[in-house]
Amino acid sequence: MSINDTADKIISMEIRGAGKIAREAVSALRDHAETLPRTGDVSIFIREMEQAAGILLATRPTAVSLPNAIQIVMRDVRSSKNEEAARRNLREKANEFIWSSRTALDRISVMGANHIPDGSVIMTHCNSSAALGSIIEAKRQGKDIEVYATEVRPWNQGRITIKTLNEHEIPTTYIVDSAARTMMKEVDLVIVGADAITVNGAVVNKIGTSQIALCAHEARKNVIVTAETYKFAPRTILGERIQIEERPTDEVLPDDIAAGLPFVRIKNPVFDVTPAEYIDLIITEAGAIPPHLAFTIMREYLGWGLDELQNQFL
Ligand code: RUB
């Protein structure tokens, strides 16, 4: 798919979910390189690729998987000695990223399933491939599980979640977002995905995640976050904040109704931040960690992020 088509689909949320956004962006970059005529000048190739990367980066601001994936793929391209090497590096890194991101999902699913005891009732929020992968794997292992899935206003990603759970014949109860606290007493653990994880172990995920985590904390229920290592945000070491995406207000209230309510303001933040205190475990493909060890994942698995941060201080 072309860069512009991919960017449009990410903006309109036809392509959504942090992992999928990253894979589709990388695959669009790889395809874009093939459309560029060979000039023999590596700097022209790099410039064209940077421009394409910029279009993808400007789509949605919160999921750190997107800049991380682009960085993983573009890093060696930027230091390539000639055009052929740059093209080869891009192709290889892109294929490697797509493959390793799928492998990461499989590993997380198995590890996640190991943390779901037989007989568990799980609450999930939004539509995360990593969280759903773990739930589906637990079912595949023969565990008797049940799920509470939230609606996820205003985009109703919960409908995608219940469709998938239904396909896997997992007994599921569908609830409105505001029923989370009331239903928490029926639940044993919460499993969600992540769009970004900060150095202090805070998790950025779909709006409403922090309320659910707070309810789980109050009810002494465990909260498990499933996230690939490329969802950790090294720049938060410098104190940089994750930008929370605000989407158009007509997603919340149609413009014609809003027009008749001149004193009413509408806000539509689509992600929120759950502090580390409300999270028991983060499951990555590299292992399960308590949230306060987020830095170790950044150091071990996103070492490039730290190199670049260090360079900024030299
Ligand atoms: C999706 C969302 C998901 C994470 C993780 O939000 O918050 O929980 O992206 O998903 P949106 P995954 O629908 O606005 O993109 O585990 O699939 O990467």
Side-chain angles (χ1 to χ4, degrees):
M1 209 191 312
S2 77
I3 293 291
N4 284 331
D5 283 352
T6 306
D8 287 348
K9 286 191 168 149
I10 295 175
I11 292 169
S12 68
M13 289 178 58
E14 202 175 311
I15 296 171
R16 49 148 299 281
K20 187 145 193 240
I21 288 173
R23 279 189 297 278
E24 295 282 342
V26 162
S27 136
L29 277 179
R30 184 192 54 194
D31 295 351
H32 181 65
E34 300 301 326
T35 68
L36 296 177
R38 282 179 161 71
T39 63
D41 184 342
V42 68
S43 62
I44 295 179
F45 179 73
I46 294 173
R47 197 174 60 230
E48 296 276 352
M49 291 310 301
E50 295 287 9
Q51 236 172 40
I55 294 173
L56 294 167
L57 283 170
T59 52
R60 293 188 75 189
T62 303
V64 78
S65 52
L66 177 60
N68 277 353
I70 288 176
Q71 172 67 359
I72 288 167
V73 167
M74 288 294 291
R75 190 175 170 230
D76 291 351
V77 173
R78 290 180 185 126
S79 58
S80 296
K81 296 264 182 296
N82 57 56
E83 187 185 348
E84 281 318 304
R87 285 178 179 273
R88 192 177 53 248
N89 280 331
L90 183 90
R91 211 171 33 243
E92 283 175 9
K93 289 286 171 195
N95 289 338
E96 201 178 295
F97 176 81
I98 293 166
W99 178 82
S100 65
S101 117
R102 293 216 173 97
T103 312
L105 261 184
D106 292 344
R107 287 177 67 104
I108 290 171
S109 300
V110 173
M111 267 188 276
N114 291 343
H115 286 272
I116 300 176
D118 193 14
S120 296
V121 179
I122 302 152
M123 185 178 285
T124 192
H125 184 57
C126 198
N127 178 254
S128 152
S129 350
L132 273 180
S134 305
I135 295 169
I136 292 164
E137 174 60 20
K139 162 82 178 179
R140 200 198 60 77
Q141 291 174 358
K143 289 177 182 167
D144 177 21
I145 53 168
E146 226 185 276
V147 177
Y148 277 80
T150 48
E151 185 178 28
V152 197
R153 276 272 294 151
W155 265 83
N156 300 318
Q157 285 93 332
R159 289 190 199 172
I160 314 173
T161 296
I162 56 172
K163 191 164 172 277
T164 305
L165 291 167
N166 186 64
E167 277 162 12
H168 287 85
E169 299 178 4
I170 298 173
T172 299
T173 307
Y174 185 49
I175 57 172
V176 297
D177 300 309
S178 40
R181 184 166 181 245
T182 297
M183 300 320 298
M184 191 57 76
K185 57 183 176 304
E186 312 293 337
V187 166
D188 299 304
L189 73 156
V190 171
I191 303 184
V192 290
D195 282 81
I197 297 177
T198 70
V199 67
N200 58 9
V203 169
V204 181
N205 191 48
K206 179 54 56 194
I207 191 85
T209 302
S210 67
Q211 285 177 178
I212 292 175
L214 188 62
C215 297
H217 184 74
E218 175 196 45
R220 306 279 188 271
K221 308 293 168 79
N222 280 348
V223 175
I224 296 178
V225 174
T226 48
E228 299 89 325
T229 49
Y230 62 84
K231 293 179 181 165
F232 287 67
R235 295 187 67 85
T236 56
I237 296 168
L238 290 180
E240 191 172 294
R241 283 167 187 263
I242 304 289
Q243 192 187 332
I244 300 294
E245 178 182 5
E246 293 248 1
R247 291 190 60 89
T249 55
D250 66 351
E251 291 180 355
V252 177
L253 195 68
D255 282 343
D256 55 336
I257 299 179
L261 304 168
F263 293 99
V264 175
R265 188 168 62 135
I266 304 155
K267 296 280 269 177
N268 187 17
V270 299
F271 296 100
D272 67 18
V273 182
T274 303
E277 301 83 88
Y278 301 128
I279 297 157
D280 295 282
L281 201 63
I282 302 178
I283 297 180
T284 78
E285 73 276 20
I289 56 158
H292 290 106
L293 289 186
F295 175 73
T296 59
I297 295 288
M298 292 175 190
R299 192 182 54 203
E300 301 289 324
Y301 298 93
L302 294 172
W304 53 264
L306 298 187
D307 293 349
E308 269 147 37
L309 292 182
Q310 262 163 12
N311 287 340
Q312 294 186 5
F313 290 113
L314 292 176

